[in-house]
CSV table of all heavy atoms in Angstrom, one decimal:
chain,number,residue,atom,x,y,z
A,1,GLY,N,-5.1,5.7,-2.8
A,1,GLY,CA,-4.1,5.1,-1.9
A,1,GLY,C,-3.1,4.3,-2.8
A,1,GLY,O,-2.8,4.8,-3.9
A,2,CYS,N,-2.8,3.2,-2.3
A,2,CYS,CA,-1.8,2.3,-3.0
A,2,CYS,C,-2.4,1.7,-4.2
A,2,CYS,O,-3.5,1.2,-4.1
A,2,CYS,CB,-1.2,1.2,-2.0
A,2,CYS,SG,-0.2,0.0,-2.9
A,3,PRO,N,-1.8,1.8,-5.4
A,3,PRO,CA,-2.6,1.2,-6.6
A,3,PRO,C,-2.7,-0.3,-6.5
A,3,PRO,O,-3.5,-0.9,-7.1
A,3,PRO,CB,-1.7,1.5,-7.7
A,3,PRO,CG,-0.4,1.9,-7.1
A,3,PRO,CD,-0.5,2.4,-5.7
A,4,PHE,N,-1.8,-1.0,-5.6
A,4,PHE,CA,-2.0,-2.4,-5.5
A,4,PHE,C,-2.8,-2.9,-4.5
A,4,PHE,O,-3.2,-4.1,-4.3
A,4,PHE,CB,-0.5,-3.0,-5.2
A,4,PHE,CG,-0.3,-4.5,-5.2
A,4,PHE,CD1,-0.6,-5.2,-6.4
A,4,PHE,CD2,-0.1,-5.2,-4.1
A,4,PHE,CE1,-0.5,-6.6,-6.5
A,4,PHE,CE2,0.0,-6.6,-4.3
A,4,PHE,CZ,-0.2,-7.3,-5.4
A,5,GLN,N,-3.5,-2.0,-3.7
A,5,GLN,CA,-4.3,-2.4,-2.5
A,5,GLN,C,-5.4,-3.3,-2.8
A,5,GLN,O,-5.7,-4.2,-2.0
A,5,GLN,CB,-4.6,-1.2,-1.6
A,5,GLN,CG,-5.3,0.0,-2.3
A,5,GLN,CD,-6.7,-0.1,-2.4
A,5,GLN,OE1,-7.4,-1.1,-2.0
A,5,GLN,NE2,-7.3,0.9,-2.8
A,6,PRO,N,-6.2,-3.2,-4.0
A,6,PRO,CA,-7.2,-4.0,-4.2
A,6,PRO,C,-6.8,-5.5,-4.4
A,6,PRO,O,-7.7,-6.4,-4.3
A,6,PRO,CB,-7.9,-3.4,-5.5
A,6,PRO,CG,-7.4,-2.1,-5.7
A,6,PRO,CD,-6.0,-2.1,-5.0
A,7,ARG,N,-5.6,-5.8,-4.7
A,7,ARG,CA,-5.2,-7.1,-4.9
A,7,ARG,C,-4.3,-7.6,-3.7
A,7,ARG,O,-3.7,-8.8,-3.8
A,7,ARG,CB,-4.4,-7.3,-6.2
A,7,ARG,CG,-5.1,-6.6,-7.4
A,7,ARG,CD,-4.2,-6.6,-8.6
A,7,ARG,NE,-3.9,-8.0,-9.1
A,7,ARG,CZ,-3.1,-8.2,-10.1
A,7,ARG,NH1,-2.5,-7.2,-10.8
A,7,ARG,NH2,-3.0,-9.5,-10.6
A,8,CYS,N,-4.1,-6.9,-2.7
A,8,CYS,CA,-3.1,-7.1,-1.7
A,8,CYS,C,-3.7,-7.8,-0.5
A,8,CYS,O,-4.6,-7.2,0.1
A,8,CYS,CB,-2.3,-5.9,-1.3
A,8,CYS,SG,-1.0,-6.1,0.0
A,9,ALA,N,-3.2,-9.0,-0.1
A,9,ALA,CA,-3.8,-9.6,1.0
A,9,ALA,C,-3.4,-9.0,2.4
A,9,ALA,O,-4.0,-9.2,3.5
A,9,ALA,CB,-3.3,-11.2,1.1
A,10,HIS,N,-2.3,-8.1,2.4
A,10,HIS,CA,-1.9,-7.4,3.6
A,10,HIS,C,-2.5,-5.9,3.7
A,10,HIS,O,-2.0,-5.2,4.6
A,10,HIS,CB,-0.4,-7.3,3.6
A,10,HIS,CG,0.2,-8.7,3.4
A,10,HIS,ND1,0.2,-9.7,4.4
A,10,HIS,CD2,0.9,-9.2,2.2
A,10,HIS,CE1,0.8,-10.7,3.9
A,10,HIS,NE2,1.2,-10.5,2.6
A,11,ALA,N,-3.3,-5.6,2.8
A,11,ALA,CA,-3.8,-4.2,2.8
A,11,ALA,C,-4.4,-3.7,4.2
A,11,ALA,O,-5.3,-4.4,4.8
A,11,ALA,CB,-4.9,-4.0,1.6
A,12,MET,N,-4.1,-2.5,4.5
A,12,MET,CA,-4.5,-2.0,5.9
A,12,MET,C,-5.3,-0.7,5.5
A,12,MET,O,-5.4,-0.3,4.3
A,12,MET,CB,-3.3,-1.6,6.7
A,12,MET,CG,-2.4,-2.8,7.1
A,12,MET,SD,-1.0,-2.3,8.0
A,12,MET,CE,-0.1,-1.4,6.6
A,13,ASP,N,-5.9,-0.1,6.5
A,13,ASP,CA,-6.8,1.1,6.2
A,13,ASP,C,-5.9,2.2,5.5
A,13,ASP,O,-6.4,2.9,4.6
A,13,ASP,CB,-7.2,1.7,7.5
A,13,ASP,CG,-8.4,0.8,8.1
A,13,ASP,OD1,-8.9,0.0,7.3
A,13,ASP,OD2,-8.6,1.0,9.3
A,14,VAL,N,-4.6,2.4,5.9
A,14,VAL,CA,-3.8,3.5,5.4
A,14,VAL,C,-3.5,3.2,3.9
A,14,VAL,O,-3.5,4.2,3.1
A,14,VAL,CB,-2.4,3.6,6.1
A,14,VAL,CG1,-1.6,2.4,6.0
A,14,VAL,CG2,-1.7,4.8,5.7
A,15,CYS,N,-3.6,1.9,3.4
A,15,CYS,CA,-3.3,1.6,2.0
A,15,CYS,C,-4.4,2.1,1.1
A,15,CYS,O,-4.2,2.3,0.0
A,15,CYS,CB,-3.1,0.1,1.9
A,15,CYS,SG,-1.8,-0.7,2.9
A,16,HIS,N,-5.7,2.2,1.7
A,16,HIS,CA,-6.8,2.6,0.9
A,16,HIS,C,-6.8,4.2,0.9
A,16,HIS,O,-7.6,4.7,0.1
A,16,HIS,CB,-8.1,2.1,1.5
A,16,HIS,CG,-8.2,0.7,1.5
A,16,HIS,ND1,-8.8,-0.1,0.5
A,16,HIS,CD2,-7.8,-0.4,2.5
A,16,HIS,CE1,-8.7,-1.3,0.7
A,16,HIS,NE2,-8.1,-1.6,2.0
A,17,GLU,N,-6.2,4.7,1.8
A,17,GLU,CA,-6.2,6.2,1.9
A,17,GLU,C,-5.0,7.0,1.3
A,17,GLU,O,-5.2,8.1,0.7
A,17,GLU,CB,-6.3,6.6,3.4
A,17,GLU,CG,-7.7,6.0,4.0
A,17,GLU,CD,-7.6,6.1,5.5
A,17,GLU,OE1,-6.6,6.7,6.1
A,17,GLU,OE2,-8.5,5.7,6.2
A,18,LEU,N,-3.9,6.5,1.5
A,18,LEU,CA,-2.6,7.3,1.1
A,18,LEU,C,-1.7,6.5,0.3
A,18,LEU,O,-1.6,5.3,0.6
A,18,LEU,CB,-1.8,7.7,2.4
A,18,LEU,CG,-2.5,8.6,3.4
A,18,LEU,CD1,-1.8,9.0,4.6
A,18,LEU,CD2,-2.9,10.0,2.6
A,19,GLU,N,-1.1,7.2,-0.7
A,19,GLU,CA,-0.2,6.4,-1.6
A,19,GLU,C,1.1,6.3,-1.0
A,19,GLU,O,1.6,7.5,-0.6
A,19,GLU,CB,-0.1,7.0,-3.0
A,19,GLU,CG,0.8,6.4,-4.0
A,19,GLU,CD,0.9,7.1,-5.3
A,19,GLU,OE1,-0.1,7.8,-5.6
A,19,GLU,OE2,2.0,7.1,-5.9
A,20,PRO,N,1.8,5.2,-0.8
A,20,PRO,CA,3.1,5.1,-0.2
A,20,PRO,C,4.3,5.6,-1.1
A,20,PRO,O,4.1,5.5,-2.3
A,20,PRO,CB,3.3,3.6,0.2
A,20,PRO,CG,2.5,3.0,-0.9
A,20,PRO,CD,1.3,3.9,-1.2
A,21,SER,N,5.4,6.1,-0.5
A,21,SER,CA,6.5,6.5,-1.3
A,21,SER,C,7.5,5.4,-1.1
A,21,SER,O,7.5,4.6,-0.2
A,21,SER,CB,7.0,7.8,-0.8
A,21,SER,OG,7.3,7.8,0.4
A,22,LEU,N,8.5,5.5,-1.9
A,22,LEU,CA,9.7,4.6,-1.8
A,22,LEU,C,10.3,4.7,-0.4
A,22,LEU,O,10.8,5.8,-0.1
A,22,LEU,CB,10.6,4.6,-3.0
A,22,LEU,CG,10.1,4.1,-4.3
A,22,LEU,CD1,11.0,4.6,-5.4
A,22,LEU,CD2,10.0,2.6,-4.3
A,23,THR,N,10.5,3.7,0.3
A,23,THR,CA,11.1,3.6,1.6
A,23,THR,C,12.2,2.6,1.6
A,23,THR,O,12.1,1.6,1.1
A,23,THR,CB,10.0,3.2,2.6
A,23,THR,OG1,8.9,4.2,2.6
A,23,THR,CG2,10.6,3.3,4.1
A,24,PRO,N,13.3,2.8,2.4
A,24,PRO,CA,14.4,1.9,2.4
A,24,PRO,C,13.9,0.6,3.1
A,24,PRO,O,13.1,0.6,4.0
A,24,PRO,CB,15.4,2.6,3.4
A,24,PRO,CG,15.2,4.0,3.2
A,24,PRO,CD,13.7,4.1,3.0
A,25,ALA,N,14.2,-0.5,2.4
A,25,ALA,CA,13.9,-1.8,2.8
A,25,ALA,C,14.9,-2.7,3.2
A,25,ALA,O,14.7,-4.0,3.3
A,25,ALA,CB,12.9,-2.4,1.7
A,26,GLY,N,16.0,-2.2,3.3
A,26,GLY,CA,17.3,-3.0,3.7
A,26,GLY,C,18.0,-3.5,2.5
A,26,GLY,O,17.4,-3.8,1.5
A,27,GLY,N,19.4,-3.8,2.7
A,27,GLY,CA,20.1,-4.3,1.7
A,27,GLY,C,20.2,-3.4,0.3
A,27,GLY,O,20.4,-4.0,-0.7
């Protein structure tokens, strides 16, 4: 999944399973 998920306080189930891609975050 996400390479940062073991250190992330906000990690969800999807973070352990799938790697996120770059997504628009505003500005």
Side-chain angles (χ1 to χ4, degrees):
C2 174
F4 188 64
Q5 53 88 358
R7 307 174 70 184
C8 183
H10 307 288
M12 304 172 289
D13 288 343
V14 67
C15 302
H16 297 269
E17 298 167 0
L18 299 174
E19 182 181 330
S21 57
L22 287 170
T23 303

